[in-house]
Amino acid sequence: MKLDTRVLRHLTAEDWRVLTAVELGSKNHENVPTPLIEKLSRLKGGASGVHRSISALAKAGLIARLKDAKYDGYRLTYGGLDYLALHTHASRKHVYSVGSRVGVGKESDIMIVADDTGTQKILKIHRLGRISFRTVKSNRDYLKNRAAGSWMYLSRLAAMREFAFMQALRDEGFPVPEPIAQSRHTIVMTLIDALPLRQVSSVPDPANLYADLIGLILRLAKHGLIHGDFNEFNILIKEEKPASQQHHQQQQKTPSEETDVAPERKDDDQDSITVSPILIDFPQMVSMDHTNAEMYFDRDVNCIKTFFKKRFHFVSTMPGPFYKDAKKTVGRDGAKRLDAAVEASGFTKKMAKDLEAAIREQQAAIDEGGPGVESDDYDDEDDDNDEDDESSQAGDGEQEEQNVFIVPNSNFTEDGQVEDLDGLKTLGLKGKGKS
């Protein structure tokens, strides 16, 4: 499903209380009984007011009836969870408007948002359980024991874990986006003007970039961590120009050049530009002490070696690095064990085990059924309310029509819509077309 905020501005305070009541009831009930919703809502209007709100929320697809339920009740949908998270971010002044979806992954959606000052940020919405097997019906046993509610719980865990790792990595000086806020299954983080490595066709110095990436793998290991999905999809490449060159280009710029057409590149300009990697996507990170740590470590290393060979025709003359050598460096020179720090922050071993199992299920689904297929199991409300929203899902990186929501009781107008990000490609990098 895609995030649609058009209804958000029309919800009343009573609607929010009822939606929150359904969320609270979902902790112990997959199908929250209507009398319990009435009790938890505590509306002054009594049962009639609750039923009016239930009708409005169900019409908007934020709650839904459970098929074949034995009693009258409703369950929270992913759309409802999205709204509750947005409402929390808005009340904390972290999100004021929502723009285009700029990325679609197998487990998340990436949105451009802005705060009330107009500062653009990234909203990541975790959506574990989205993979289905419409093309491979025989493999439905992967997800048959997963109800929509459990996938929402796991999506919350993914957001909690990623936010905790981002904070820990940022504090240790790793090149990651700055985490700003986390609510339910969503994370707000800084927007970085950079390209995914998979969209970069050439770089000024492949050997130097390769060394930086291998260095990051080893640095993570020193802090007790393995990324677990260290590949061209989860590495952003940021270009950095010398200050003198930036000043010179600004002086040379004329009004006629202020267009969407990129200036002609000069070879010496590209040679003077350096690139640096930014790491993203951390829910699957594991400890260097994990049972399968060597497999994950080797996979991360091999992903980089394979990509650089295919894309940049670069092959390192140095073997490795190898897990057994990296293991010896854990905690060396006073390096903080970030795996232990995240566990100490409240993300328990049981939570990590549940999340890891869910991620394995999703990867198995992709391996068997192929990527990029939306789920008809993970969120049944699409069948009832959304008129097959998933069929219009944008491809990876595809821009959609902007969708701005207004925080209730604000005077924000559409003049403040955030800009879409077509054209983030900058001078030093040669980007590939959409694939």
Side-chain angles (χ1 to χ4, degrees), residues 159-172:
M160 288 174 57
R161 184 177 179 86
E162 180 160 37
F163 189 78
F165 273 126
M166 288 177 69
Q167 283 185 316
L169 291 168
R170 183 84 179 184
D171 290 345
E172 292 299 314

Side-chain angles (χ1 to χ4, degrees), residues 133 139-147 151 361 377:
F133 314 110
N139 289 329
R140 285 193 175 273
D141 59 318
Y142 277 117
L143 299 178
K144 66 182 180 182
N145 295 320
R146 292 281 187 202
W151 283 118
E361 286 184 23
D377 283 341

Side-chain angles (χ1 to χ4, degrees), residues 202-222:
S202 68
V203 293
D205 188 349
N208 189 60
L209 179 58
Y210 174 85
D212 287 345
L213 294 174
I214 294 299
L216 280 174
I217 291 175
L218 293 174
R219 187 179 167 197
L220 286 170
K222 192 173 183 178

Side-chain angles (χ1 to χ4, degrees), residues 11-261:
L11 295 184
T12 66
E14 290 76 16
D15 295 338
W16 285 114
R17 290 185 68 90
V18 172
L19 187 60
T20 302
V22 177
E23 182 188 31
L24 291 172
S26 298
K27 293 180 179 180
N28 297 313
H29 302 271
E30 182 181 1
N31 187 44
V32 185
T34 301
L36 180 59
I37 297 174
E38 297 171 3
K39 180 179 179 181
L40 293 173
S41 301
R42 301 174 67 179
L43 295 189
K44 293 181 180 180
S48 61
V50 171
H51 284 279
R52 279 195 300 270
S53 290
I54 285 177
S55 177
L57 295 171
K59 185 177 180 180
L62 306 183
I63 60 175
R65 290 184 181 275
L66 190 67
K67 295 176 181 178
D68 301 323
K70 297 181 179 179
Y71 55 88
D72 186 50
Y74 293 84
R75 63 178 180 83
L76 186 68
T77 68
Y78 256 109
L81 195 64
D82 290 348
Y83 269 41
L84 287 167
L86 279 174
H87 191 60
T88 298
H89 288 310
S91 66
R92 295 174 180 172
K93 309 299 183 184
H94 294 135
V95 174
Y96 194 69
S97 60
V98 176
S100 302
R101 180 171 60 185
V102 294
V104 181
K106 61 182 181 292
E107 297 163 356
S108 62
D109 288 335
I110 310 298
M111 310 289 299
I112 293 290
V113 298
D115 61 19
D116 56 359
T117 68
T119 302
Q120 293 183 351
K121 304 174 182 178
I122 287 293
L123 174 70
K124 181 173 183 178
I125 308 173
H126 286 270
R127 300 201 188 281
L128 268 70
R130 118 145 84 209
I131 304 301
S132 82
F133 314 110
R134 288 172 178 163
T135 57
V136 188
K137 297 292 186 181
S138 61
N139 289 329
R140 285 193 175 273
D141 59 318
Y142 277 117
L143 299 178
K144 66 182 180 182
N145 295 320
R146 292 281 187 202
S150 67
W151 283 118
M152 290 183 198
Y153 165 71
L154 292 165
S155 294
R156 289 171 185 253
L157 292 188
M160 288 174 57
R161 184 177 179 86
E162 180 160 37
F163 189 78
F165 273 126
M166 288 177 69
Q167 283 185 316
L169 291 168
R170 183 84 179 184
D171 290 345
E172 292 299 314
F174 279 87
V176 301
E178 179 184 354
I180 297 171
Q182 182 254 323
S183 175
R184 298 170 176 87
H185 62 318
T186 67
I187 298 174
V188 178
M189 65 187 82
T190 52
L191 170 65
I192 295 178
D193 186 355
L195 282 173
L197 179 57
R198 68 180 182 82
Q199 292 182 5
V200 177
S201 60
S202 68
V203 293
D205 188 349
N208 189 60
L209 179 58
Y210 174 85
D212 287 345
L213 294 174
I214 294 299
L216 280 174
I217 291 175
L218 293 174
R219 187 179 167 197
L220 286 170
K222 192 173 183 178
H223 286 271
L225 293 175
I226 302 170
H227 187 278
D229 204 9
F230 199 90
N231 57 46
E232 65 271 22
F233 294 91
N234 296 324
I235 299 168
L236 303 180
I237 301 300
K238 182 178 178 65
E239 119 183 336
E240 297 173 343
K241 305 174 186 177
S244 59
Q245 181 179 324
Q246 292 182 22
H247 179 68
H248 175 71
Q249 289 180 344
Q250 187 65 30
Q251 287 183 326
Q252 295 296 319
K253 194 171 185 179
T254 66
S256 62
E257 290 175 312
E258 293 181 357
T259 66
D260 293 334
V261 180

Side-chain angles (χ1 to χ4, degrees), residues 64 82 90 104 133 146 159 166 170 192 209 265 268 274 279 282 322 343 350 359 371 386:
D82 290 348
V104 181
F133 314 110
R146 292 281 187 202
M166 288 177 69
R170 183 84 179 184
I192 295 178
L209 179 58
R265 295 172 180 164
D268 56 346
T274 60
L279 300 184
F282 307 104
F322 302 104
E343 184 177 335
K350 182 183 184 304
I359 292 174
D386 290 350

Side-chain angles (χ1 to χ4, degrees), residues 341-386:
V342 169
E343 184 177 335
S345 71
F347 198 90
T348 65
K349 289 183 178 179
K350 182 183 184 304
M351 290 178 177
K353 185 177 179 180
D354 289 344
L355 181 58
E356 185 181 340
I359 292 174
R360 281 201 310 268
E361 286 184 23
Q362 294 237 129
Q363 188 57 51
I366 293 171
D367 292 343
E368 294 292 334
V373 184
E374 293 292 332
S375 173
D376 54 356
D377 283 341
Y378 105 112
D379 210 3
D380 289 337
E381 75 270 8
D382 293 337
D383 296 334
D384 299 330
N385 303 299
D386 290 350

